[in-house]
Amino acid sequence: MVSAADFIEKCYIPLNEGWGYIWGQWGAVWTEAKQKAATREMTVKYGSKWIGKMVTDCSGLIKWALYQLGESITHHARYQYTDYCHRKGKLINGLREDGSAILPGTAVFLQGKEDSFQALVICQIPKRSGSSHIVK
């Protein structure tokens, strides 16, 4: 099993190295060929600034970090949510509804409201609206 500390450490590598956000990627160099083949509006519009640089998306960050630690997880956030989440609850002022803190590495998937969450079984890293945030 992956420790929260190891997982967080891996997640910080792309963040500290300034990787770009490209939907559908999980730790690959963005190429001119990929940019030319892009069809998503935001990728077409902004992707060219990431050519030659490492890119990922929010669920790709989770997948990449776990892969670096010898684990495997589905890439798509919806499947990470449905296949691996095991606890539901509410966040109130950044705490669980029972008043306890979110554990380091907790994966928080917001469901339209800022007070709903579910956490991954194997480790925990927040995901929100196309960006990943890490509870440290």
Side-chain angles (χ1 to χ4, degrees):
M1 183 161 177
V2 173
S3 75
D6 289 343
F7 179 66
I8 291 167
E9 181 180 331
K10 289 297 180 190
C11 287
Y12 268 96
I13 292 170
L15 298 174
N16 289 335
E17 291 179 357
W19 289 17
Y21 178 93
I22 300 284
W23 182 87
Q25 301 301 302
W26 65 281
V29 173
W30 190 246
T31 65
E32 192 168 329
K34 290 178 184 177
Q35 180 64 29
K36 286 180 181 177
T39 58
R40 293 182 62 84
E41 179 182 350
M42 299 305 278
T43 304
V44 170
K45 187 172 182 178
Y46 299 108
S48 61
K49 76 178 192 175
W50 298 110
I51 292 173
K53 298 176 183 168
M54 295 291 285
V55 295
T56 188
D57 66 11
C58 50
S59 61
L61 176 62
I62 293 172
K63 180 176 176 65
W64 179 86
L66 290 174
Y67 182 79
Q68 300 305 305
L69 296 167
E71 297 292 333
S72 178
I73 191 171
T74 306
H75 181 181
H76 196 283
R78 180 185 328 153
Y79 299 116
Q80 288 177 357
Y81 176 83
T82 59
D83 294 350
Y84 299 96
C85 289
H86 72 290
R87 183 174 177 186
K88 294 181 182 179
K90 292 185 179 263
L91 295 177
I92 301 170
N93 296 322
L95 298 173
R96 292 187 172 144
E97 58 192 332
D98 66 3
S100 63
I102 299 172
L103 299 174
T106 297
V108 175
F109 293 80
L110 297 178
Q111 302 174 309
K113 295 181 180 178
E114 300 228 354
D115 62 350
S116 297
F117 80 94
Q118 288 198 346
L120 292 178
V121 172
I122 52 171
C123 44
Q124 307 141 14
I125 182 173
K127 181 253 174 223
R128 177 180 176 192
S129 304
S131 62
S132 296
H133 307 279
I134 300 168
V135 175
K136 188 173 180 183

